[in-house]
């Protein structure tokens, strides 16, 4: 995790993903923090779990394939979490005050040894449980146990005797205990009943009858994860925490919410949908729809990628539950009734239809007893056979369909906007629960589509038939029956038939020749590396990986079977030279359940939806009687009164800061030394499980300013163009075979006192298994000779793909673009980030692609390489590994550094990055960027305080209090936005407000301003609000870190342990009065910079006080 404002380039977070798949799923140019969490079914060994604590809809999509190179084959795809933005502070702040929850900072060696021995004894005891053993007073019966290596966990399966509820416990030496309960939910329409119910059950329950226990618990716990998710065929409620009291508290709240919710009518109207008048108390104003899920799904479905993926899925599954949009289509959501919602809960939310998952080192029987006492003892067994998801009726012959989808926000070529895909329905995961074919098809998918050396990349993208693979490309295992899809976006209508024929020809070729074994070995290496890498997500993701099949009474351990299946596949390949040929023939060529889908774009797609909605509402309005109108007004006022009511939430459990939060920071024991002469080296000795990590930073302060706009392309293309020794396809294969990939980004260090000029560096980092460290540095050395010239066709393809990806990203990641745009007006570092990865970059890449300006790109990238990749530019280095591997790694790292040889003379100019940062002057404005879509992303930014300022901790806490309280109530509950909040970033001295998937614009901006006035009133921020703000702050600052990340924030930021401790002391010492005081002293009356990325229908074109732009940054006029 990266300390705030040490800005790894925005695109860097997606770079490993984007480069390695090289053209697949080009709808994601960047990854917006908190906007998406891909739930991996591949289990990795872990010690802790950390992620954003939010709630949202998880829409499973056909062929989800995201992540680093080669790893897609290991993912039996899973639900994608669409999160609510609840006002988390700058996500990267988490590492600055990293501390250990619920314990001292140091543990003696003897205590560690004893703990390890205790953990082993606990796992041994779990393994020794025999089938038939009764636990929790006889309430649960053990059905199986299995020790799973190399993860060294014990899986215990149990059944609740009275109700038949199933339990999977994965015991592990991991203090970050996890819980999840899932219900098979099988919608028969697209009203979003399962999704609305997921929201509504968390709005109060029998034992906790407050308005919103879920969001209240977000600020009353130290959870490392809290969420609720609706997938295509199940709904689940997960959490994790490292605090045992917290675990019991959350388990109590979650169980009561799931099994005994209020499901009040007013909560349904708030979370789902309702009628209101545009002026709430004026029945003569326009009738409108409101509702959180309604607006959430407008945003979720507001992209070409989402609409195309939905069309693909509903046509591949024409008869089963997967035909429907489980999250809800905004066109259909208003058809859902309150009575239908309650009936759906009664039928689906029963223990007999439940799967409980627990993880970690907490005593199993203790958790089982709480589940029994809090919920299950009140139920009897129910026949849930009617909820079984029927298998899809297989096609007897291939089918073809056509669809219409929205155009992207930026269109590179008006003559090439169509999409085409071929999709196949494949393995039934319930009939064949541990299918080698299933696993092998994932590997085949990787070989067919991942990287420039893949078969379909070569056949489809290199000839320029499209800008990238179509949404949904890849192998998907998130449903009962798996599927594979492949296609292209941004294609000419005249090329449709050619593309279809090419895909089939490639598959025919593979059915004759098979795959080269060395290519397969590269994928297998990635599987091995995945299993070795220690992450903070192992526990929960193992559970997520299980549910797609387990909810259908299929395999519960599929997420843990990767090593087992990899070994079986290798054995099968050894035994049968025709293995791949037979597999491709069976599942592709002889498979009649094949769909060809083509889609044309409509630039007015969302406008037509808006017009249809308004026409429908006008029609309804004409039929309303006066009494009905009065009731709509009365219901709206009652809901508002309920939302404004100050509740007594003392019935909810809470942690106490003084008891749960350590006063001392966590010190990672980083060692500072020198490498390759006099270069600073930070060594972090950590239990990295045989994986070695490195980072090196190159000074960019003197980089000519004219090259800054091209920096992101340089970082993206550096390992995609080939080198003096290797062509780009061979390079991609070697990276996949020997490493976990390289991450290239920019890092900006800001002085903690806010004085002086920030500094900018180029960061190159990577990791590899111990045996491949030499090979990793050999590849890195070779990358210095990247072919910046002479690869015109390759650069043209990469540029085309990048332009398409960025064009799609504007609508999908509008909040991040809006925050960048607002911050750029008042912060030098934000302005730099906006130039390299914000809307100006979108416009630049679009122009370069349209003009075919290959020479311009090559020249700029060659100059950046000549400036940055020089021995004198190396600023600092870092190694993270186990002790026994350090010496060999350090020697090889030093050799790499000494071998750095500049290719050409370094460019120099008067105007540089440093001069730009030093001479930056704020210029406030109000900017509206019009994009296709039905929702908006609003942001306002104000100057704040630097990290070492005495008031910075209080301002940081104020952002937590505002986000969890006033802004949540006004923006989400009342305004109907999916989420909103604010963040204080002391590393950039920036205070930012934002809203997400918001139906409003200027109303939300008014709310931002009013929130400051609210905060200055000392009566509004009490001791309770302070405690909750502190818990929210420390769950971010103390979020668990993977071993490879421990110590990394100090390396990136330069923030010392002493500075971190002072900031932590300030957080703990703050009073309610301090929060009100800093709001008045530093925020009240300060003019904000404003940016909105939103629906073109909302653009204030007639208001001269606004700057109106299109998605490429060009002026837009009325």
């Amino acid at each position: 995790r990266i300390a705030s404002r040490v800005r790894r380039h925005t695109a860097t977070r997606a770079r490993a993903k984007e480069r390695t798949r090289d053209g697949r799923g080009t709808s994601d140019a960047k990854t917006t923090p908190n906007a998406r969490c891909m739930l991996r079914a591949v289990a990795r060994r872990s010690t802790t779990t950390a992620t954003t604590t939010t709630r949202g809809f998880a829409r499973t999509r056909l062929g989800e394939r995201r992540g680093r190179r080669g790893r897609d084959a290991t993912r039996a795809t899973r639900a994608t979490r669409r999160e609510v933005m609840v006002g988390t502070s700058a996500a990267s702040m988490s590492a600055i005050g990293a501390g250990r929850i619920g314990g001292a900072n140091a543990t003696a060696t003897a205590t560690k040894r004893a703990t390890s021995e205790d953990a082993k004894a606990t796992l041994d005891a779990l393994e020794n449980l025999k089938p038939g053993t009764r636990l929790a007073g006889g309430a649960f019966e053990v059905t199986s146990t299995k020790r799973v290596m190399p993860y060294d966990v014990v899986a215990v399966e149990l059944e609740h005797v009275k109700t038949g509820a199933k339990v999977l416990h994965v015991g592990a030496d991991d203090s970050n205990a996890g819980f999840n309960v899932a219900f098979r939910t099988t919608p028969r329409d697209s009203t979003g009943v399962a999704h609305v119910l997921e929201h509504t059950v968390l709005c109060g329950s029998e034992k906790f009858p407050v308005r919103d226990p879920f969001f209240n618990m977000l600020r009353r716990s130290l959870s490392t994860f809290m969420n609720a998710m609706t997938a295509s065929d199940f709904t689940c409620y997960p959490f994790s925490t490292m605090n045992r009291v917290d675990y019991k508290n959350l388990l109590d709240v979650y169980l009561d919410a799931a099994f005994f919710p209020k499901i009040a009518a007013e909560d349904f109207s708030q979370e789902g949908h309702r009628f209101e008048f545009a002026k709430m108390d004026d029945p003569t104003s326009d009738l409108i729809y409101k509702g959180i899920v309604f607006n959430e799904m407008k945003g979720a479905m507001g992209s070409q990628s989402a609409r195309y993926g939905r069309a693909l899925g509903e046509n591949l599954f024409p008869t089963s539950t997967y035909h429907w949009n489980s999250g809800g289509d905004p066109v259909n959501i208003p058809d859902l009734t309150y009575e239908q919602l309650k009936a759906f809960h009664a039928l689906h939310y029963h223990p007999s239809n439940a799967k409980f998952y627990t993880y970690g080192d907490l005593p199993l029987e203790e958790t089982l007893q709480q589940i029994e006492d809090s919920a299950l003892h009140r139920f009897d067994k129910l026949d849930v056979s009617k909820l079984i998801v029927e298998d899809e009726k297989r096609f007897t012959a291939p089918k073809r369909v056509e669809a219409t989808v929205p155009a992207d926000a930026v269109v590179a070529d008006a003559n090439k906007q169509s999409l085409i895909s071929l999709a196949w329905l494949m393995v039934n995961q319930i009939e064949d629960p541990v299918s080698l074919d299933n696993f092998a098809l994932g590997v085949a998918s990787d070989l067919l589509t991942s990287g420039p050396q893949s078969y379909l990349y070569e056949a489809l993208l290199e000839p320029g038939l499209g800008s990238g693979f179509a949404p949904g490309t890849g192998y998907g295992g998130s449903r009962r029956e798996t599927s594979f899809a492949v296609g292209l976006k941004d294609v000419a209508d005249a090329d449709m038939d050619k593309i279809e024929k090419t895909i089939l020809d490639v598959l025919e070729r593979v059915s004759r020749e098979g795959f080269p074994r060395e290519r397969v070995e590269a994928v297998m290496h990635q599987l091995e590396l995945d299993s070795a890498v220690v992450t903070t997500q192992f526990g929960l993701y193992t559970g997520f990986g299980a549910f797609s099949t387990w909810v259908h009474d299929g395999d519960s351990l599929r997420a843990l079977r990767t090593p087992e299946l990899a070994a079986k596949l290798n054995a099968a390949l050894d035994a049968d030279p025709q293995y791949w040929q037979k597999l491709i023939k069976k599942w592709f060529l002889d498979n009649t359940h094949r769909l060809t889908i083509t889609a044309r774009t409509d630039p007015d797609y969302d406008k037509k939806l808006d017009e249809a909605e308004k026409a429908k509402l006008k029609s309804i309005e004409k039929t309303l009687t006066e009494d009905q109108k009065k009731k709509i007004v009365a219901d709206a006022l009652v809901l508002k009164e309920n939302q404004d009511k100050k509740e007594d939430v003392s019935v909810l459990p809470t942690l106490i800061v003084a008891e749960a939060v350590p006063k001392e920071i966590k010190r990672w024991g980083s060692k500072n030394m020198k490498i390759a002469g006099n270069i600073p080296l930070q060594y972090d000795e950590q239990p990295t499980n045989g994986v070695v990590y490195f980072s090196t930073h190159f000074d960019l302060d003197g980089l000519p300013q004219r090259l800054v706009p091209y920096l992101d392309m340089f970082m993206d293309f550096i390992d995609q163009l080939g080198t003096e020794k290797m062509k780009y396809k061979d390079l991609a294969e070697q990276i996949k075979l020997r490493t976990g990939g390289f991450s290239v980004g920019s890092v900006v260090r800001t002085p903690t006192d806010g004085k002086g000029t920030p500094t900018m560096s180029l960061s190159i980092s990577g990791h590899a298994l111990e045996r491949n460290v030499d090979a990793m540095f050999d590849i890195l050395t070779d990358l210095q000779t990247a072919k910046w010239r002479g690869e015109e066709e390759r650069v043209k393809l990469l540029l085309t793909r990048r332009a398409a990806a960025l064009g799609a990203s504007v609508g999908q990641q509008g909040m991040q673009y809006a925050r960048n745009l607002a911050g750029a007006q008042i912060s030098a570092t934000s302005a730099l980030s906006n130039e390299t990865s914000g809307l100006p970059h979108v416009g630049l890449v679009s122009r370069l692609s349209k003009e075919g300006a290959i020479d311009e790109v090559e020249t700029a990238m060659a100059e950046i390489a000549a400036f940055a990749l020089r021995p004198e530019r190396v600023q600092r280095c870092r190694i993270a590994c186990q002790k026994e591997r350090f010496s060999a790694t350090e020697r090889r790292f030093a050799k790499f550094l000494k071998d750095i040889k500049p290719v050409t003379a370094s460019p120099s100019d008067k105007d540089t990055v440093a001069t730009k940062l030093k001479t930056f002057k704020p210029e406030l404005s109000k900017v509206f960027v019009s994009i296709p879509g039905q929702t908006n992303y609003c942001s306002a930014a104000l100057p704040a305080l630097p990290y070492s300022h005495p008031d910075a901790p209080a301002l940081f806490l104020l952002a937590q209090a505002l986000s969890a309280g006033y802004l949540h109530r006004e923006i989400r509950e009342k305004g109907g936005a999916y989420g909103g909040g604010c963040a204080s970033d002391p590393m950039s001295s920036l205070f930012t407000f934002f809203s997400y998937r918001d139906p409003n614009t200027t109303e939300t901006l008014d709310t931002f301003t009013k929130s400051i006035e609210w905060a200055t009133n000392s009566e509004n921020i009490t001791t309770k609000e302070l405690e909750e703000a502190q818990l929210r702050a420390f769950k971010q600052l103390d979020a668990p870190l993977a071993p490879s990340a421990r110590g990394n924030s100090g390396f990136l930021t330069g923030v010392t342990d002493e500075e971190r401790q002072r900031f932590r002391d300030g957080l703990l010492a703050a009073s309610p009065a301090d929060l009100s005081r800093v709001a008045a002293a530093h925020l009240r009356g300060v003019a904000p910079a404003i940016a909105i990325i939103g629906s073109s229908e909302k653009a204030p074109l007639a208001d001269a006080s606004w700057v109106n732009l299109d998605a490429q940054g060009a002026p837009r006029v009325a």
Side-chain angles (χ1 to χ4, degrees), residues 389-532:
V389 175
E390 299 294 334
D391 292 334
E392 183 57 53
K393 294 178 182 178
R394 297 284 173 142
F395 299 168
T396 56
K399 293 187 178 182
R400 308 180 70 86
V401 296
E402 295 182 357
T404 302
V405 296
D408 282 332
V410 178
V411 176
D413 186 342
N415 297 316
K416 298 180 70 174
Q417 295 192 63
S418 297
L419 301 92
I420 180 173
S421 291
L422 274 67
W424 291 260
L425 194 60
M426 293 186 163
V427 179
N428 188 314
Q429 299 186 98
I430 309 307
E431 291 181 358
D432 192 359
V434 190
S435 168
L436 182 58
D437 278 8
N438 190 6
F439 180 81
L441 284 166
V443 175
S445 172
D446 185 281
L447 295 166
L448 288 168
T449 64
S450 180
Q453 75 280 30
S454 65
Y455 286 72
L456 289 168
Y457 184 103
E458 290 179 331
L460 297 172
L461 291 177
E462 285 192 351
L465 293 173
S467 68
F469 284 115
T473 290
Y475 188 65
S478 61
R479 302 179 176 96
R480 278 177 63 98
E481 297 171 276
T482 69
S483 57
F484 175 86
V486 64
L488 294 179
K489 65 174 292 182
D490 296 329
V491 304
D493 289 346
D495 288 333
M496 293 285 200
D497 291 342
K498 182 179 180 180
I499 292 167
E500 181 174 10
K501 183 178 184 302
T502 300
I503 292 170
L504 294 174
D505 286 348
V506 167
L507 293 171
E508 180 69 40
R509 173 189 159 199
V510 177
S511 75
R512 296 192 308 268
E513 301 173 0
F515 295 118
R517 190 63 180 266
E518 59 270 20
R519 294 257 188 113
V520 178
E521 288 302 321
V523 179
M524 293 300 182
H525 167 257
Q526 292 298 314
L527 302 184
E528 180 186 3
L529 186 58
D530 269 355
S531 296

Side-chain angles (χ1 to χ4, degrees), residues 1050-1070:
F1051 173 73
L1052 292 168
T1053 64
V1055 176
T1056 66
D1057 285 349
E1058 290 70 25
E1059 289 172 320
R1060 290 169 54 220
Q1061 186 62 57
R1062 283 197 295 272
F1063 191 84
R1064 190 178 190 88
D1065 292 343
L1067 294 173
L1068 291 168

Side-chain angles (χ1 to χ4, degrees), residues 682-696:
Q682 177 178 310
Y683 168 47
D684 289 298
E685 180 187 329
Q686 292 293 339
T688 56
N689 198 32
V691 181
V692 173
Y693 299 81
F694 85 91
S695 295
T696 184

Side-chain angles (χ1 to χ4, degrees), residues 464-687:
L465 293 173
S467 68
F469 284 115
T473 290
Y475 188 65
S478 61
R479 302 179 176 96
R480 278 177 63 98
E481 297 171 276
T482 69
S483 57
F484 175 86
V486 64
L488 294 179
K489 65 174 292 182
D490 296 329
V491 304
D493 289 346
D495 288 333
M496 293 285 200
D497 291 342
K498 182 179 180 180
I499 292 167
E500 181 174 10
K501 183 178 184 302
T502 300
I503 292 170
L504 294 174
D505 286 348
V506 167
L507 293 171
E508 180 69 40
R509 173 189 159 199
V510 177
S511 75
R512 296 192 308 268
E513 301 173 0
F515 295 118
R517 190 63 180 266
E518 59 270 20
R519 294 257 188 113
V520 178
E521 288 302 321
V523 179
M524 293 300 182
H525 167 257
Q526 292 298 314
L527 302 184
E528 180 186 3
L529 186 58
D530 269 355
S531 296
V533 168
V534 182
T535 76
T536 61
Q537 303 167 334
F538 177 87
L540 282 174
Y541 287 177
T542 297
F544 291 136
F547 283 144
S548 292
T549 49
W550 190 31
V551 293
H552 304 292
D553 297 320
D555 184 22
S556 64
L557 301 182
R558 73 173 193 153
L560 298 172
R561 297 194 189 278
T562 298
E564 168 193 339
L565 290 169
K568 286 184 177 180
L569 179 57
N570 274 323
L573 295 176
D574 291 338
D576 185 358
Q578 294 293 305
Y579 181 86
W580 291 117
Q581 291 88 327
K582 294 174 182 177
L583 186 84
I584 298 299
K585 188 174 188 301
K586 175 182 178 181
W587 292 109
F588 287 95
L589 300 182
D590 293 345
N591 185 352
T592 57
H593 197 111
R594 187 180 85 213
L595 175 75
T596 299
I597 179 171
T598 59
R600 271 75 178 179
T601 60
D602 181 354
D604 295 324
Y605 188 96
D606 292 292
K607 181 179 180 181
K608 290 175 181 177
L609 287 177
D610 280 332
E611 290 173 349
E613 180 182 308
K614 291 175 182 176
K616 181 180 178 181
L617 286 164
K618 282 293 183 185
S619 177
I620 293 171
E621 190 175 353
K622 289 178 182 178
T623 68
L624 294 176
T625 66
E626 289 303 312
D627 287 343
Q628 288 173 324
K629 291 179 180 180
K630 289 178 181 178
K631 187 176 188 308
I632 290 172
V633 171
D635 288 345
L637 293 174
V638 168
L639 178 60
K640 182 178 183 300
E641 182 182 359
N642 187 50
Q643 292 166 336
D644 286 335
K645 189 186 304 178
K646 195 170 183 66
E647 286 191 307
D648 179 8
V649 297
S650 60
V651 65
L652 288 168
T654 186
L655 293 179
I656 305 301
V657 171
E659 298 172 358
V661 176
K663 294 182 179 180
E664 300 294 317
I665 63 168
K666 179 66 178 178
R667 301 174 190 269
W668 298 115
S670 301
K671 300 173 183 177
N672 295 306
M673 53 190 73
K674 301 291 183 180
I675 188 173
N678 202 38
I679 299 172
L681 170 67
Q682 177 178 310
Y683 168 47
D684 289 298
E685 180 187 329
Q686 292 293 339

Side-chain angles (χ1 to χ4, degrees), residues 4 87-91 93 819 940-942 944 955-960 962-963 967 980-986 988-994 1032 1036 1083:
S4 177
T88 57
S89 180
M93 268 298 298
R819 292 181 68 174
L942 299 88
L955 199 61
F956 187 76
L957 291 174
L958 175 64
Q960 308 298 322
L962 283 174
S963 295
L967 292 173
C982 61
S984 179
D985 183 351
S988 66
S989 302
L990 199 63
F991 196 98
T992 309
F993 293 92
F994 53 88
R1032 278 175 55 93
Q1036 294 173 45
L1083 300 180

Side-chain angles (χ1 to χ4, degrees), residues 58-69:
R59 184 164 48 83
T60 49
R61 296 179 300 172
L62 182 65
E64 276 179 333
R65 299 175 74 256
R66 298 291 188 269
R68 297 188 178 185
R69 59 171 58 78

